[in-house]
Amino acid sequence: MFLSRRPDRIDWLKKVPLFSGLSRRDLDLIARQTDVVRTHEGKVLTRQGALGEEFLLIVDGSARVERDAKPIARLEAGEFFGEMSLIDGKPRSATVIAETPVTLLVVDGRSFRCLLDAVPGLRRKISVTLCERLRAADAGLAAQN
Ligand code: CMP
């Protein structure tokens, strides 16, 4: 498959906003820590309340984020999820379900924490996305009230 070779994976990583601007060395480090996984539509990728063990990035397909069985967001190719539990050590905040067949890059929790320490640019970009998601959630709440 097209991401099974590390050079292919690095070429793909370069195009993902989360990894754009990172050095070849950093991309190589990230590519070494990732597995490629394919799943079917309807597959539960993270379950609200469960222990978080992986960071996941959508290569192809889309997924729905649900909190208390209600949809709260949609994630497309290039977007990531599963970072929150790995950062704060708390249970998964939401359930993420594949809306189509999905190809994922998966990083186990230990490798993810090592990457955050080894690649400062990655930490900053993940923080920016967390801020964006919080702002979107706040805007959604304000619109309801
Ligand atoms: P985590 O809590 O580890 O597992 C569920 C994931 O869903 C969570 O990390 C985030 O990556 C993602 N998630 C939770 N809430 C939102 C949201 N409002 N918008 C986008 N993604 C979210």
Side-chain angles (χ1 to χ4, degrees), residues 46 65 72-73 75 80-85 91-94 96 133:
T46 69
V65 184
I72 55 170
L75 301 171
F80 65 82
F81 59 99
E83 77 295 347
M84 289 174 59
S85 290
R92 293 292 196 199
S93 60
V96 180
R133 289 178 181 172

Side-chain angles (χ1 to χ4, degrees), residues 46-48 50-56 65-67 72-75 79-88 90-96 129-130 133-134 136-137:
T46 69
R47 194 177 290 282
Q48 183 180 340
L51 202 68
E53 289 172 349
E54 290 151 341
F55 170 82
L56 307 98
V65 184
E66 291 186 353
R67 168 118 193 142
I72 55 170
R74 192 150 187 272
L75 301 171
E79 296 188 284
F80 65 82
F81 59 99
E83 77 295 347
M84 289 174 59
S85 290
L86 299 182
I87 291 171
D88 68 10
K90 302 220 168 107
R92 293 292 196 199
S93 60
T95 296
V96 180
T129 300
L130 277 167
R133 289 178 181 172
L134 179 59

Side-chain angles (χ1 to χ4, degrees), residues 13 16-20 22 55 57 78 80 121-122 125-126 129:
L13 290 177
V16 178
L18 177 62
F19 303 123
S20 68
L22 297 183
F55 170 82
L57 191 143
F80 65 82
L122 184 61
K125 280 166 176 265
I126 287 178
T129 300

Side-chain angles (χ1 to χ4, degrees), residues 21-42:
L22 297 183
S23 67
R24 177 87 193 179
R25 181 194 151 275
D26 287 344
L27 292 173
D28 189 55
L29 203 61
I30 293 164
R32 283 172 195 272
Q33 309 292 338
T34 56
D35 285 324
V36 178
V37 174
R38 281 179 173 178
T39 64
H40 55 84
E41 180 185 347

